[in-house]
Amino acid sequence: MRENCTMWTDKQRGIRVSKEELLCKNACGYYGNPAWQGFCSKCWRERARPAAAPRQDARPSNDGTPPTFSKFEEKKNIEKGRRINTMRRLFWGSPSPPKPQESPESRANALKAFQSLEPGDFTGFLKILRSPSSQRLQSRCTAFLNTMEAYHALPVQKQSDLVQDFYQSFAEYFRGFPEVQVTQIMEHVEKLIMTRLHKWVFCHDSCDDEQKDLILQKRIRSLNWVTPQMLGVPFPDKNTSVTGDPFLPAITAIIEMDAKRAPQDKLACVSKCSQHVFEALSTSNSEPANADDFLSGLIYVVLKANPPRLHSNMQYVIRFGLPHSLMAGESGYYFTNLSCAETFIEKLDGPALNLSPEEFEGYMLGRRAPSAKNKRLQAASETQHLLEQLKDRQEKLDEGMDALNVQLQKWVQAVHSQLDETATQFFLVQKEITAQAELSQMVSSSAQDEKEPSLLALKDQQAGPKDTDC
């Protein structure tokens, strides 16, 4: 389908692509891209640039080391002087720009502040850039942004070259830093610059990105009949962790890419989408998904999502993103596979889906639908999945009923026990009350009996003297 990314299909596993086919055709060890005709960004720019205008490299040669922004050991003085003068005239308006005064102490303070910057702390980066010690760097950024906005009508490829040159010249300020720190700082610089320039350079009038977006979207809509089975996607037959389409998180992530402005944020959406694809594929079996399954799954996600302005977003990342993000690492691998997926969709034909040309044309014209066999298999798979879900729900319901019965029996026993205890206590209290009443009655009767003789004796005493007097 393209020179360095030949893809074919297999009835068992679907789309195949080897890692070697993803690499640069120039055998430099970095990932290639269909937008660069199979080359990496460095090799492509070297080929595209005229022989009389050699360009400085922004990374080392193929020695196994990661990409770098370090300064070249050999500088071509004449060409570099011409390019520097051109950049100066572009940024400053005169061949001899006023040199900002920067004392060694101020530079040391600025470098110390950048060294203490935490990874991913973009707010902290802005605070350091606006500090007095970083006034020179802030002035360079401001001058570059103002110039790019003033010359926004330049061809988009020229603007891409200017941005890449700015990245390289800005990184030279930190040439004494470790490569990891320089990369982190340059990611902040990219976000600062491209968030501001996005409205000027994205889907530029000098290119045909918008037309290609419309063609690609129409192409994807015409392929809405493609099933996971046709692509060889190992679609999970059983999914107990999520309901519905397991690729939905990946679809959502790839759609979010259009809402981002910085190339690294768009690339982060691609990485997030790819990771969700691997997670969805891992639910199909106990074995980890391989590269073939991943590419098939990614193509399926793109067909299902039909991401807005996919071609423009990818070209934006290619033109204005940091080179190291696309040439190596996970982000480079994921982005290269997305480029392969786009190319596959653009040139998709019958043999790629194990269909004859007549069958493929029938599907495209709407005269055919996926075969009854595929429909029956899919329906059987869905029915089996539904039955397994119902079985699991029934088992959980039975377990819940058993647990409820046990709890109900315990509750009844507890109620009976409380009733028996209450009845016993009531009987004892009633017996005690009766005993106290009888005792009180006995005491009262005894007191009455003792009182009566005393009264009689008192009466006799009172009556005795009267009889004597008589």
Side-chain angles (χ1 to χ4, degrees), residues 216-270:
L216 182 60
Q217 287 185 343
K218 184 178 179 181
R219 173 71 171 176
I220 293 176
R221 284 195 298 268
S222 67
L223 294 171
N224 60 354
W225 47 269
V226 177
T227 63
Q229 292 76 17
M230 292 179 178
L231 294 169
V233 179
F235 206 87
D237 295 330
K238 182 178 180 181
N239 184 16
T240 57
S241 60
V242 293
T243 57
D245 192 344
F247 291 91
L248 184 59
I251 294 172
T252 303
I254 197 65
I255 291 177
E256 289 177 351
M257 179 173 62
D258 187 58
K260 307 299 181 180
R261 292 189 177 184
Q264 61 179 277
D265 293 337
K266 294 181 181 292
L267 202 56
C269 292
V270 176

Side-chain angles (χ1 to χ4, degrees), residues 271-392:
S271 298
K272 182 179 178 182
C273 168
S274 301
Q275 292 166 2
H276 284 310
V277 170
F278 274 111
E279 292 174 0
L281 293 173
S282 65
T283 61
S284 61
N285 50 47
S286 58
E287 298 179 359
N290 55 38
D292 298 330
D293 295 338
F294 166 66
L295 182 56
S296 301
L298 187 60
I299 293 172
Y300 171 75
V301 167
V302 174
L303 290 175
K304 291 283 288 185
N306 197 358
R309 303 190 292 185
L310 176 62
H311 180 79
S312 293
N313 280 291
M314 295 180 64
Q315 292 299 313
Y316 177 75
V317 174
I318 289 172
R319 292 165 182 154
F320 301 102
L322 295 172
H324 77 277
S325 300
L326 301 180
M327 295 189 300
E330 282 191 352
S331 59
Y333 175 76
Y334 294 149
F335 190 82
T336 302
N337 275 273
L338 181 60
S339 300
C340 291
E342 180 190 10
T343 305
F344 178 88
I345 293 172
E346 290 174 348
K347 300 182 179 181
L348 182 62
D349 55 8
L353 300 175
N354 297 319
L355 299 174
S356 65
E358 293 76 14
E359 290 176 330
F360 182 81
E361 184 178 0
Y363 285 124
M364 293 298 293
L365 297 177
R367 293 196 298 261
R368 296 176 59 94
S371 64
K373 181 179 179 181
N374 289 338
K375 286 186 176 181
R376 286 195 300 269
L377 291 175
Q378 185 176 1
S381 177
E382 292 176 354
T383 303
Q384 182 180 2
H385 178 50
L386 181 60
L387 289 175
E388 291 175 353
Q389 285 184 329
L390 291 175
K391 182 180 178 181
D392 293 339

Side-chain angles (χ1 to χ4, degrees), residues 88 97-102:
R88 285 176 175 175
K99 296 182 179 180
Q101 297 296 328
E102 184 182 32

Side-chain angles (χ1 to χ4, degrees), residues 142-211:
T142 303
F144 178 74
L145 288 172
N146 293 337
T147 304
M148 289 294 295
E149 291 183 3
Y151 290 89
H152 65 271
L154 289 173
V156 67
Q157 189 56 49
K158 179 62 177 177
Q159 296 187 61
S160 173
D161 292 339
L162 292 175
V163 170
Q164 296 298 332
D165 287 340
F166 177 78
Y167 289 159
Q168 181 177 332
S169 63
F170 197 94
E172 290 181 358
Y173 189 84
F174 307 97
R175 56 182 175 269
F177 281 24
E179 291 298 331
V180 175
Q181 280 190 321
V182 177
T183 299
Q184 294 173 355
I185 294 174
M186 292 308 301
E187 287 177 352
H188 294 316
V189 173
E190 180 213 82
K191 189 169 187 177
L192 171 65
I193 296 298
M194 296 316 303
T195 301
R196 175 90 170 264
L197 297 181
H198 177 270
K199 64 180 179 179
W200 299 112
V201 300
F202 182 81
C203 202
H204 197 265
D205 293 338
S206 63
C207 59
D208 57 351
D209 290 347
E210 185 175 0
Q211 290 77 9

